[in-house]
Amino acid sequence: MEVDGLVTALERIEHAARDFMHPAHKSDAPSVLLDVLAECGRALGHPYAIDPGLDDARNEASRHCAAVQENLSAVMEEIRQLHMTVSGLLPSLVRIADRE
């Protein structure tokens, strides 16, 4: 992969991470970040041999990218499960509250 591809991937990751941290205007920020990390994170895993310091930073960014992707996927699944559980509870609780 060319260096410009790495730059593009890093720019997309930075933008998605910024939108995730400040989601006031972006309700889909978590899923966008997850998609960008899945797509662009692979670009961080390729050795570029540009400069040892840059390669170390790229490796660290790659590790963070993988950890965030894994953890965010798990959090999103937990949120889906929570939503399903709460959605299942609400009708029964509304019926009980209406009887009182």
Side-chain angles (χ1 to χ4, degrees):
M1 176 175 270
E2 296 292 323
V3 174
D4 59 337
L6 175 61
V7 170
T8 300
L10 289 171
E11 287 172 340
R12 290 187 62 204
I13 291 169
E14 179 195 29
H15 183 69
R18 184 179 53 243
D19 286 348
F20 180 79
M21 291 186 296
H22 305 288
H25 305 292
K26 305 275 186 176
S27 62
D28 62 344
S31 61
V32 169
L33 177 59
L34 193 57
D35 291 344
V36 168
L37 291 176
E39 183 180 335
C40 297
R42 288 184 285 274
L44 296 175
H46 297 289
Y48 291 89
I50 302 166
D51 173 271
L54 290 176
D55 281 344
D56 289 345
R58 181 194 47 77
N59 284 330
E60 183 177 352
S62 181
R63 285 191 301 275
H64 288 302
C65 183
V68 168
Q69 188 175 359
E70 181 180 326
N71 291 327
L72 186 55
S73 293
V75 166
M76 290 177 73
E77 180 57 30
E78 287 297 322
I79 291 169
R80 276 191 280 279
Q81 293 295 325
L82 173 62
H83 180 260
M84 288 175 40
T85 302
V86 168
S87 295
L89 284 171
L90 277 174
S92 298
L93 292 174
V94 167
R95 282 192 297 275
I96 292 168
D98 287 345
R99 282 185 273 178
E100 293 182 357

